[in-house]
Amino acid sequence: MEVDAIPNGSASETAMENAAAATISPTPSKFSGLAESLKLEHQFLRVPFEHYKKTIRANHRVAEKEVSAVISSVTDAADRENMSREEAVHHFTSLVSRLQGLKRKLEEGNRTEQMQAQKCRARLDHLESADADNLAEWNSTRLKRILVDYMLRMSYFDTAVKLSESSNIQDLVDIDVFQEAKKVIDALQNKEIAPALSWCSDNKSRLKKSKSKFEFQLRLQEFIELVRADKNMQAITYARKYLAPWGATHMKELQRVMATLAFKSSTECAIYKVLFEPKQWDHLVDVFRQEFCKIYGMTLEPLLNIYLQAGLSALKTPYCYEDDCTKEDPLSQESFRKLAVPLPYSKQHHSKLVCYITKELMDTENPPQVLPNGYVYSAKALEKMAKENSGKITCPRTGFVCSYSELVKAYIS
Amino acid sequence: MELDSIKDAFDRVTKKQKLSSSKSHEVVDQIHLELEQVLQKIQLADNPECPVNLKSVFSELKTKLKDIAPLTQLESTQKELNTALTKYPKLVEKSFNPDISKAYRNVDFDRHTVNQIIASHFYRQGMFELGDCFISEAGESESAASMRSPFQEMYQILEAMKSRNLDPALNWALNNSNKLNECGSDLLLKLHSMQFMEILQNGDRHDALKYARTYLAPLASNHLAELQKLMACLLWTGRLDCSPYSQSQLLSVTNWENVAEELIRQFCNFLGQSYESPLGVTVAAGVQGLPPLLKFMNVMAGKKQEWQSMKQLPVPVELGREFQFHSIFVCPVSKEQSTEENPPMLMLCGHVLCKQSIMKMSKNSTKSFKCPYCPTDIDATRCRQLYF
């Protein structure tokens, strides 16, 4: 009868165990790996900050505008002759209530700013909280963040909200920022241009700085819609007002679109036919998404795609596509293989041998041993096999049988 | 990572924001106060006893507002805030990798494939509602939910185990006992032992014995030692906590966790799935792999074209042990990876080189050569091919 052994090691043995445990603690390379991976989180800090900045600027503009309006209104009153008392009372009552309105707005704006600042801070704290002890949990949160980012970019809002709420990571994802995009995208999908134009005017200076022609493209589309509706005169007036200013930089496109006046929307002429196609609207949505990402300092591609691509390339070896590829390798799955097709293989400078039996890495601690038939397994696996089968070794891949004493060690550098 | 300076920079931003915000309030309050006073004065103007000259009131107010200079006041704090607002993102940009898409290859991932991977990920993590919501919102077909029902079965088993009900787990293990045997798993024995201990802990020696005869006895041939240990527990019915087994694995909570883990492993295995979420593994590999790739792209900026068409990554990307799924042999002489045509060969001294290197050094096996790692003379004809 076997009873679980009670530890009866001497003090010196325990001390040695402690020493051994100390050396196994995370290596410096693992820490630098963590630091390197945190450096990838630029967007994570940048996006909420851009949002915060935008709110601050907008609130300030409101305050400035209102205050100067009040001042000029006072000046007006002072300069006016013969204002009756009733008029004056009326005038000043409305000014006072205007200021009260401004005060409310400022308070509300300040609250929003505080909330957004809180979000920025939560992200800094989250980055700071990553260490070796909670790495598994932190990584799982990172995967969720990456998935929410993907869903927001694909406009899967419901699932994005659900995932962030169920995982309690609302402060770590940018749902609020994307709400702004959703309005514009929804409208464009309904062939409405107004919200996109007002977004352009809200972000005028940023768009100008990046030489964006998104507004021009929106205007072109509106022009095309007028032509489609046969409102040619209206279209010309529109073009004079909204298209002409872009002539200096985008003459070619302008000319091409103007030429549609000579065609009907049912034209078969390929150059112009495409301008009337509904997929132009999808194109506008794509352009908008790009502009939106740029303004907030996001990558143009979903984070998920970027990480998947890097991961698949790093994992891809010719062996992944063999039939006996282990299931633990993501590239054993059809869907992952499909994604990896256009990607490069990984490059290796050093041998890395994985034991076929235990799936463990073979190294000096657990060296590779060669059977007489040339098949290689880890010492650990073969020792165990020999112990259980009174010194006999059976090659799991060929059925070859030999004795433990026939094994030779291989030195892999 | 040095986050302190970034946090300081952010604190500066919020400090200036508070300052600017309170300044706006102050300015608006000041104007408000002045205007209300004027309004009062005008209203009093009705009183014939103290007539008020509207004109002079207005011009007085005008000068007062000029003295307050609200717009200049607003601007002054805003200026400081603006400086902080530009400094912070610059610092962030310097400390972080501002564009992680630099090493991105312009290939379009098939959206349906990605969506299917995500849906399967949710199901395998037991997030069924989320998976359903995702599939319907993304407009994916039913087939994207193919992983739903198998994983649902798995989570039902695990849920039952959490409330110490082993029946569903035992049922599944019995139905798959042949497959479990084939891959050398003793899950069935573990589950039966746990059930046995449960009965015993509830204090019924008779039932426990009956259970052991029915279910444990057939497993005796392969697991004699385990079985003996279990049967000895019968001696301590009702007072297992003061038995030699009190500290043993059989009674521990971690045992339940370990067995649950083993069950997940085998369940996934039979489904043709990995134990870890493949999406999680790939993204984690990406997080490790991206920094060296980005570094490389910074160095070879301008050769973007080449990057788009490379068959193999230009730099080695070292991933952790958990990402090593295949044996890779790199010949220490030629630095090339072994292939079927150029397999690894074991020399008599135990060192390994690729076949082509051996051929070269032995002038096509016409003469012996010295091992590059030790003084042994190597006869190329006596080298053996290795299979990892």
Side-chain angles (χ1 to χ4, degrees), chain A residues 218-286:
Chain A
L218 291 170
R219 298 289 182 196
L220 290 184
Q221 189 63 38
E222 252 190 342
F223 176 82
I224 290 284
E225 293 308 314
L226 288 172
V227 175
R228 194 198 304 277
D230 259 337
K231 296 176 181 161
N232 287 351
M233 288 319 288
Q234 228 171 307
I236 291 170
T237 330
Y238 184 88
R240 276 200 190 128
K241 189 163 173 198
Y242 296 113
L243 299 186
W246 296 85
T249 42
H250 299 87
M251 203 44 160
K252 272 244 157 66
E253 283 158 285
L254 201 151
Q255 284 170 338
R256 180 172 165 216
V257 146
M258 290 308 291
T260 55
L261 282 169
F263 296 89
K264 279 222 166 340
S265 57
S266 56
T267 176
E268 284 303 316
C269 179
I271 302 175
Y272 303 105
K273 192 182 170 192
V274 15
L275 291 175
F276 289 101
E277 277 170 6
K279 72 164 186 237
Q280 290 292 334
W281 287 95
D282 298 336
H283 179 62
L284 284 178
V285 170
D286 289 342

Side-chain angles (χ1 to χ4, degrees), chain B residues 62-190:
Chain B
K62 203 172 139 188
T63 14
K64 255 195 189 150
L65 285 186
K66 210 176 199 171
D67 290 345
I68 297 174
L71 288 176
T72 336
Q73 283 202 50
L74 282 180
E75 211 176 305
S76 65
T77 50
Q78 186 69 15
K79 219 175 201 169
E80 286 176 35
L81 176 56
N82 273 338
T83 325
L85 280 177
T86 29
K87 248 189 193 156
Y88 176 72
K90 271 190 192 145
L91 188 63
V92 170
E93 196 169 320
K94 221 171 73 190
S95 325
F96 286 78
N97 223 322
D99 183 12
I100 62 166
S101 62
K102 257 198 190 135
Y104 190 77
R105 200 177 256 212
N106 276 327
V107 289
D108 275 328
F109 276 163
D110 176 52
R111 186 163 54 95
H112 300 291
T113 312
V114 176
N115 285 348
Q116 191 204 329
I117 287 172
I118 294 175
S120 301
H121 171 78
F122 285 143
Y123 289 140
R124 67 166 305 131
Q125 304 300 108
M127 300 153 106
F128 295 102
E129 214 184 304
L130 214 58
D132 292 346
C133 177
F134 180 76
I135 285 181
S136 83
E137 196 171 19
E140 293 298 330
S141 62
E142 297 275 311
S143 64
S146 60
M147 281 296 136
R148 190 184 206 284
S149 57
F151 279 116
Q152 200 161 28
E153 188 191 343
M154 184 176 94
Y155 277 96
Q156 274 159 1
I157 295 174
L158 292 174
E159 275 306 306
M161 277 180 80
K162 266 187 202 146
S163 48
R164 295 237 154 189
N165 173 7
L166 283 167
D167 292 340
L170 275 166
N171 251 331
W172 178 83
L174 276 173
N175 286 335
N176 293 282
S177 59
N178 285 341
K179 278 200 247 173
L180 284 171
N181 259 336
E182 258 170 51
C183 54
S185 164
D186 56 357
L187 185 63
L188 190 59
L189 171 79
K190 279 182 185 151

Side-chain angles (χ1 to χ4, degrees), chain B residues 200-220:
Chain B
L200 205 59
Q201 265 175 306
N202 290 336
D204 200 322
R205 194 186 305 206
H206 196 71
D207 282 353
L209 193 59
K210 214 168 108 194
Y211 189 86
R213 280 197 182 132
T214 331
Y215 297 107
L216 290 173
L219 303 170

Side-chain angles (χ1 to χ4, degrees), chain B residues 218-235:
Chain B
L219 303 170
S221 54
N222 293 329
H223 307 282
L224 202 55
E226 273 293 314
L227 223 72
Q228 287 171 340
K229 204 160 136 187
L230 283 172
M231 296 319 288
C233 290
L234 282 170
L235 299 175

Side-chain angles (χ1 to χ4, degrees), chain A residues 20-166:
Chain A
T23 53
I24 299 169
S25 65
T27 57
S29 80
K30 230 179 189 160
F31 273 125
S32 75
L34 176 61
E36 284 295 316
S37 71
L38 287 182
K39 279 194 184 158
L40 303 172
E41 301 284 359
H42 181 251
Q43 169 178 328
F44 183 61
L45 294 185
R46 180 77 188 274
V47 173
F49 184 75
E50 286 300 324
H51 201 203
Y52 176 50
K53 195 160 101 183
K54 220 173 144 183
T55 315
I56 290 179
R57 295 253 155 91
N59 287 340
H60 182 73
R61 262 201 303 280
V62 168
E64 245 176 11
K65 214 173 105 195
E66 290 286 302
V67 166
S68 56
V70 168
I71 291 175
S72 71
S73 170
V74 168
T75 323
D76 271 359
D79 293 347
R80 242 163 72 190
E81 300 294 331
N82 317 322
M83 193 187 246
S84 75
R85 200 190 60 86
E86 281 73 28
E87 265 181 302
V89 168
H90 182 73
H91 190 77
F92 275 83
T93 318
S94 84
L95 278 186
V96 166
S97 75
R98 189 168 180 174
L99 279 176
Q100 272 163 345
L102 175 58
K103 261 163 117 180
R104 264 199 308 278
K105 250 188 220 161
L106 284 180
E107 263 157 38
E108 201 180 300
N110 189 32
R111 262 200 303 280
T112 321
E113 284 169 21
Q114 301 285 344
M115 254 158 56
Q116 288 176 342
Q118 180 46 43
K119 198 162 188 171
C120 294
R121 201 180 295 278
R123 301 219 179 170
L124 283 166
D125 291 343
H126 184 70
L127 286 187
E128 203 172 33
S129 76
D131 63 33
D133 296 332
N134 65 357
L135 210 53
E137 195 195 332
W138 203 87
N139 286 346
S140 135
T141 306
R142 177 178 56 209
L143 180 59
K144 284 175 186 162
R145 286 194 280 123
I146 292 171
L147 286 174
V148 171
D149 172 83
Y150 173 81
M151 292 171 195
L152 289 174
R153 288 168 190 257
M154 304 299 280
S155 294
Y156 305 153
F157 279 94
D158 290 347
T159 325
V161 170
K162 248 190 200 150
L163 176 55
S164 78
E165 277 172 5
S166 67

Side-chain angles (χ1 to χ4, degrees), chain A residues 409-411, chain B residues 346-352 371-378:
Chain A
K409 221 173 176 180
Y411 299 94
Chain B
L346 177 72
M347 302 185 286
L348 272 186
C349 54
H351 291 107
V352 185
C371 168
Y373 288 92
C374 66
T376 316
D377 253 331
I378 304 295

